[in-house]
Amino acid sequence: MKTQWLSRVVIKTFSIGCLALAGTAASQLASAHGTITSPESRIWNCKEQGQNPSSAACAAAIAESGTQQIYDWNGIRQGAADGQHETVVPDGQLCSGGDPGTFGGQDLARTDWEATPVSGSQTFTWYNSAPHKSLYYRYYITKSSYDPSQPLTWDDLEYLMETDPKPGETYPSHTVSLPNRNGKHVVYAVWQRSDSPEAFYACVDVVFNGDGGGSSSSSSSSSESSSSSSSSSDGNDNNVCVGIPNWSSNAVYTQGDQVRYNDNRYEAKWWTQGQPPADHSSQWAVWIDQGACAQ
């Protein structure tokens, strides 16, 4: 009898422990939702490099706030933001989403964060591991006076655009027209849910070419990639992407369909939907990278 009683106690204790662990895991999963993966956000870039990063900036980020940040890459968030982003995310903590305890390394003011070359219109694609309805996705870019060696503040940002409300999507993408800039800058993005006050934040490091890149207008216009097509306003007669539509996460593509994505041309090998071309263009993947639009 004593043996049976001990067995029941052990089994009950084990079961409670398992439930507690499962609850913790579920709670962590529920608080992790998404970031921009193309061009790579700062956190995604460090996540891809792992615990022993090759870049000095990501190594410094891990030294500052540990490795948990690269496992929680989709959790730069404020649960009660409710549109009050400048209140819940203080100056100097924009890239950590106001959570320096977990993501403080992302806020380091450095000039050597790995940056993606951009100019003109740029498609930004999110990977949302837990899709939710959105009130908007909002985009900013640092002003011409931005100094990357100084902490990023809200006053450093210039508003670019925001989307209309949308249903939950795993790979939403938005094409944003960028203004004239030179050198390194940060595109700052906010995803505000409509079914919750929760919001997510992403810093994308970009670098413009020597002539300033970007559009000629100081007030940027934008359109979502689902309804936009590539424009011949690049001013380059050798642009092979003229007339080719921008990739859309909602569109269905079949063999032979061509799209424009991050100023590259891609061709589909077979049926596809929601697979960003830049992330799915290896030898055995669905997209063929046909090279840069400007030849």
Side-chain angles (χ1 to χ4, degrees):
M1 293 292 292
K2 185 175 182 180
T3 300
Q4 292 177 340
W5 178 81
L6 286 173
S7 296
R8 287 196 297 271
V9 170
V10 169
I11 292 171
K12 185 176 181 180
T13 303
F14 177 76
S15 299
I16 292 172
C18 288
L19 288 171
L21 289 172
T24 300
S27 175
Q28 290 174 341
L29 180 61
S31 66
H33 299 277
T35 191
I36 295 176
T37 59
S38 182
E40 292 182 337
S41 64
R42 190 174 289 184
I43 187 64
W44 182 261
N45 178 260
C46 290
K47 174 260 182 189
E48 290 291 274
Q49 294 182 42
Q51 294 192 41
N52 299 298
S54 56
S55 73
C58 286
I62 289 176
E64 176 72 18
S65 50
T67 58
Q68 190 60 41
Q69 60 190 303
I70 64 175
Y71 299 106
D72 293 343
W73 57 267
N74 48 8
I76 298 181
R77 54 180 283 280
Q78 285 293 327
D82 199 23
Q84 304 301 309
H85 310 297
E86 294 186 35
T87 300
V88 298
V89 179
D91 285 342
Q93 298 180 15
L94 273 66
C95 294
S96 69
D99 183 8
T102 307
F103 301 102
Q106 302 296 307
D107 289 319
L108 294 177
R110 302 176 61 96
T111 60
D112 58 351
W113 288 106
E114 292 189 355
T116 300
V118 296
S119 64
S121 63
Q122 180 70 37
T123 300
F124 294 86
T125 301
W126 292 70
Y127 171 33
N128 296 336
S129 56
H132 294 285
K133 294 179 181 179
S134 66
L135 182 61
Y136 55 77
Y137 290 85
R138 182 180 294 168
Y139 291 85
Y140 304 83
I141 192 170
T142 46
K143 298 174 182 176
S144 298
S145 58
Y146 170 63
D147 180 356
S149 67
Q150 298 299 314
L152 182 64
T153 70
W154 287 101
D155 283 343
D156 288 325
L157 300 179
E158 174 184 317
Y159 171 83
L160 292 176
M161 60 86 72
E162 69 179 51
T163 68
D164 294 327
K166 293 291 182 182
E169 297 176 285
T170 302
Y171 295 107
S173 63
H174 318 105
T175 299
V176 181
S177 186
L178 302 177
N180 290 321
R181 292 290 187 270
N182 280 296
K184 285 192 171 183
H185 283 271
V186 173
V187 172
Y188 192 66
V190 178
W191 169 25
Q192 176 63 62
R193 292 172 57 181
S194 61
D195 55 359
S196 163
E198 185 177 41
F200 297 83
Y201 306 92
C203 280
V204 180
D205 295 283
V206 298
V207 60
F208 288 80
N209 56 27
D211 63 5
S215 61
S216 59
S217 172
S218 59
S219 59
S220 302
S221 62
S222 63
S223 62
E224 294 187 60
S225 59
S226 58
S227 62
S228 62
S229 61
S230 82
S231 169
S232 59
S233 62
D234 293 329
N236 189 337
D237 293 337
N238 295 321
N239 191 326
V240 298
C241 292
V242 173
I244 295 177
N246 285 314
W247 176 81
S248 167
S249 61
N250 296 320
V252 171
Y253 302 100
T254 57
Q255 182 179 9
D257 287 344
Q258 294 193 358
V259 297
R260 174 176 179 166
Y261 188 80
N262 290 352
D263 284 330
N264 269 39
R265 181 166 57 102
Y266 294 87
E267 182 176 323
K269 299 178 187 177
W270 52 77
W271 189 98
T272 178
Q273 183 181 30
Q275 294 178 294
D279 298 334
H280 298 274
S281 58
S282 61
Q283 181 179 2
W284 307 111
V286 62
W287 291 104
I288 303 171
D289 187 347
Q290 303 281 20
C293 291
Q295 300 292 314

